[in-house]
Amino acid sequence: MSVLHESKLTLKLAVPLVIGQLSQMLLGLADTVMVGQLGVTELAALTFANALFHIAFVFGMGLLTGVSVVTSNAKGAGNHAAVRASCRHGLYVALALSALLFAISWVVSLNLHHFGQPADVADRTVGFFRWIMLSTIPGLASIALKNHADALNRPWPPFWISISGVALNVFLNWVLIFGKFGAPALGLEGAAIATLIARVAIFVGILLWLVRAPGLKDLVPYHWLRAPDFSEIRKQLAVGFPASLQILCEVGAFSAAGLLMGHFGATAMAAHQIALTCAGTTFMIPLGLSMALTVRMGLANGAEETHRLRTIANSGWLLASISGITTAAVFALFGASIAGLFIGAPEVIKLTAAFLVIVGFFQIFDSLQVCSAGMLRGLRDARVPALMAFISYWIIALPVGLLLARPLGLGPAGTWWGLATGLAVAAFALAPRLWHRTR
């Protein structure tokens, strides 16, 4: 089949995934705006708790990508028993991991003062952090079920359930933070409890849909509580664990870049945060494409339709390039206007606009590397890409950024050029590997 035809099939699967990822970004923005009305201390506590929470949650999300790969491979091969087992084992992994993360977080919550935060911020963080970490249990469980549904090429029902959960979360934020409709005003903790309730609702909604959906009877577990097959769980983890490390390498590199930016003053920090928010939002587009390409590669690989693999790869690179180039053009042409939507300080707007030019440049490579990594996961190739990610971000990107920023005198922009260099290396390293694997 032609590259354009494969691109259409990928887009059909990717659209709900992209919108779903963007909705999560909007949810974080809504939380920030609502909690910000409580005061600076509460907003700082939210930021601190979310920094810890996202490390754990991103690790769990990466681990559960194994569900998409195993399910799509099994469905492509027509092995319905293996499809059912993948769903059940993915749920087991999600529940076990989230319970472990919650237990660890409880211990961490007793020692938040050791992270160097102001005492009042650390004190206000404890309750919120415990509630938000409890929400990882239904949160990761629903992601496992959603990944299974996506791999079955049924992304829209879980998408609508998730969007409804996001709307419920925003409404419950308003009720529980500020004490509406007779509810107690719980403040910061109310935001976390709202998230917990919304995530439980999303999990229950997706589970009920999977069980009752016509056409899925043979593709979901007959017996959800059957004893696990640890050899099958290891198959999922063989893909998911390296994928989670790969994601953590990139997230950690950007966090470290933020710490480096602190050496250049408040203006640089503010501009960096705005640019990072813009980059994170537009990155949801290639990330959704990557998730869809993982499934499509897995289905073709499982069906032993090896003649389609390279065409799917070419279509993935085409879509990734279009996404990256479009983003680069928007940031280059309208960077200052975009920065002005966040802040009115002229010096911050000017620096942010300069950062966004670099962001646009590196998002071309970021789009290509994340889609290549997703397609390699669909072929059960995750360990070497994870090592490539570590080298690209921690051995190349951060040292180059530090070198450009300080000794070579590029200042804060040098840090972003370092990140761009690392992403370019990742893109150029992953592409030949994918080309070889799809021969």
Side-chain angles (χ1 to χ4, degrees), residues 271-280 282 327-340 342 348-363 416:
H272 176 79
Q273 184 58 43
I274 295 171
L276 194 61
T277 300
C278 295
T282 54
T327 299
V330 170
F331 284 163
L333 294 173
F334 306 107
S337 300
I338 293 171
F342 290 85
V348 177
I349 292 175
K350 182 179 179 180
L351 187 56
T352 302
F355 285 170
L356 287 178
V357 172
I358 307 172
V359 170
F361 174 76
F362 83 52
Q363 281 219 328
W416 279 98

Side-chain angles (χ1 to χ4, degrees), residues 5 15 44 62 65 82 90 107 152 176 234 306 380 383 400 428 438:
H5 181 70
V15 167
T65 57
V107 177
L152 299 178
L176 297 178
R234 282 194 293 271
T306 54
R380 295 176 179 261
R383 293 183 181 180
V400 168
F428 285 118
T438 57

Side-chain angles (χ1 to χ4, degrees), residues 131-152:
W131 281 110
I132 201 69
M133 286 305 298
L134 182 61
S135 77
T136 60
I137 298 177
L140 290 180
S142 63
I143 287 174
L145 297 182
K146 182 180 180 299
N147 286 352
H148 183 71
D150 293 342
L152 299 178

Side-chain angles (χ1 to χ4, degrees), residues 236-438:
Q236 285 192 3
L237 296 181
V239 176
F241 186 69
S244 64
L245 293 180
Q246 184 176 354
I247 294 170
L248 281 177
C249 282
E250 184 169 358
V251 171
F254 276 85
S255 298
L259 295 177
L260 293 175
M261 199 65 64
H263 294 284
F264 295 101
T267 297
M269 281 292 289
H272 176 79
Q273 184 58 43
I274 295 171
L276 194 61
T277 300
C278 295
T281 301
T282 54
F283 179 69
M284 294 302 104
I285 299 173
L287 180 61
L289 285 172
S290 173
M291 295 164 65
L293 288 164
T294 297
V295 172
R296 301 217 56 239
M297 276 291 195
L299 289 170
N301 190 49
E304 298 185 356
E305 297 177 346
T306 54
H307 61 282
R308 294 179 57 202
L309 296 179
R310 185 159 287 181
T311 309
I312 295 174
N314 287 331
S315 73
W317 286 331
L318 173 64
L319 294 172
S321 299
I322 293 172
S323 171
I325 292 171
T326 302
T327 299
V330 170
F331 284 163
L333 294 173
F334 306 107
S337 300
I338 293 171
L341 298 175
F342 290 85
I343 198 167
E347 66 278 8
V348 177
I349 292 175
K350 182 179 179 180
L351 187 56
T352 302
F355 285 170
L356 287 178
V357 172
I358 307 172
V359 170
F361 174 76
F362 83 52
Q363 281 219 328
I364 298 174
F365 297 109
D366 206 6
S367 298
L368 289 168
Q369 71 84 19
V370 74
C371 286
S372 293
M375 289 186 279
L376 285 168
R377 277 196 292 273
L379 299 175
R380 295 176 179 261
D381 185 359
R383 293 183 181 180
V384 173
L387 177 60
M388 290 178 174
F390 175 77
I391 294 172
S392 299
Y393 303 131
W394 287 90
I395 305 300
I396 296 175
L398 290 176
V400 168
L402 187 60
L403 178 66
L404 292 174
R406 286 295 188 186
L408 297 182
L410 293 184
T415 304
W416 279 98
W417 280 118
L419 294 172
T421 302
L423 290 167
V425 169
F428 285 118
L430 291 170
R433 184 170 182 84
L434 177 60
W435 189 255
H436 173 72
R437 292 299 305 272
T438 57

